[in-house]
Amino acid sequence: MNSNTYSDRKKTRIGYIISISICAAAAVAILFWKKIFSLDETKEIFGVLSDAFFVPGALMVCVGGLSRLGAAGAYDSFGYLFSRFALHNIWVTGKRREKYDSLYEYKQAKDEKGRHWLPYVLWTGVGATAISVVLTVFYLVL
């Protein structure tokens, strides 16, 4: 067994554990904020449960989608502009930042470094949103 694949699987597993934990913590916080334990009707409980899963799910889908777009290079022009014209270029600091002459060179350097995105955040958000849809159906049926 290749140690690199084991390391990749371990990182992915840890990423899923962290993103599921964040989503669950946000859902529990919303449940307490909406005071689910003081509700009497089943329909209201399903409505609050649906909200509690939809909000963190939608946020995680957005973060995961934006990270995917960023890994595809959708925001390279913004990164290039900030690297060229940001305030850290005006003040003298101890760090020497690499300057690129063109956007093409900047994109090539980013490609050589490697681009990474967060698929576990996207799929955790999709899962939480799917749970929210199921709970919404129960809310509407009751």
Side-chain angles (χ1 to χ4, degrees):
M1 183 172 174
N2 190 358
S3 64
N4 192 18
T5 58
Y6 175 74
S7 175
D8 290 343
R9 278 191 271 161
K10 186 176 179 181
K11 286 180 185 177
T12 302
R13 196 174 305 136
I14 290 171
Y16 273 110
I17 289 169
I18 290 171
S19 62
I20 289 170
S21 300
I22 290 171
C23 187
V28 168
I30 291 171
L31 289 175
F32 280 111
W33 180 54
K34 294 271 196 159
K35 299 176 183 165
I36 191 166
F37 297 113
S38 66
L39 299 176
D40 293 332
E41 290 188 34
T42 307
K43 185 172 183 168
E44 291 176 353
I45 292 172
F46 276 113
V48 170
L49 283 170
S50 174
D51 292 345
F53 280 99
F54 180 76
V55 172
L59 288 174
M60 293 186 91
V61 165
C62 291
V63 169
L66 287 173
S67 76
R68 175 65 182 116
L69 291 173
Y75 308 115
D76 284 349
S77 58
F78 296 120
Y80 174 69
L81 285 173
F82 284 121
S83 73
R84 298 282 295 177
F85 304 112
L87 289 177
H88 63 78
N89 288 330
I90 296 172
W91 290 302
V92 178
T93 60
K95 288 185 179 179
R96 173 101 174 127
R97 297 207 181 247
E98 190 172 344
K99 292 190 178 185
Y100 303 99
D101 291 331
S102 67
L103 177 61
Y104 179 75
E105 288 178 8
Y106 178 80
K107 286 176 94 76
Q108 292 298 319
K110 292 277 284 187
D111 287 337
E112 287 175 11
K113 271 185 167 177
R115 297 178 183 261
H116 305 286
W117 70 290
L118 308 170
Y120 36 84
V121 174
L122 178 68
W123 293 117
T124 302
V126 168
T129 306
I131 291 170
S132 173
V133 168
V134 170
L135 291 169
T136 302
V137 168
F138 286 140
Y139 171 78
L140 294 173
V141 169
L142 294 177

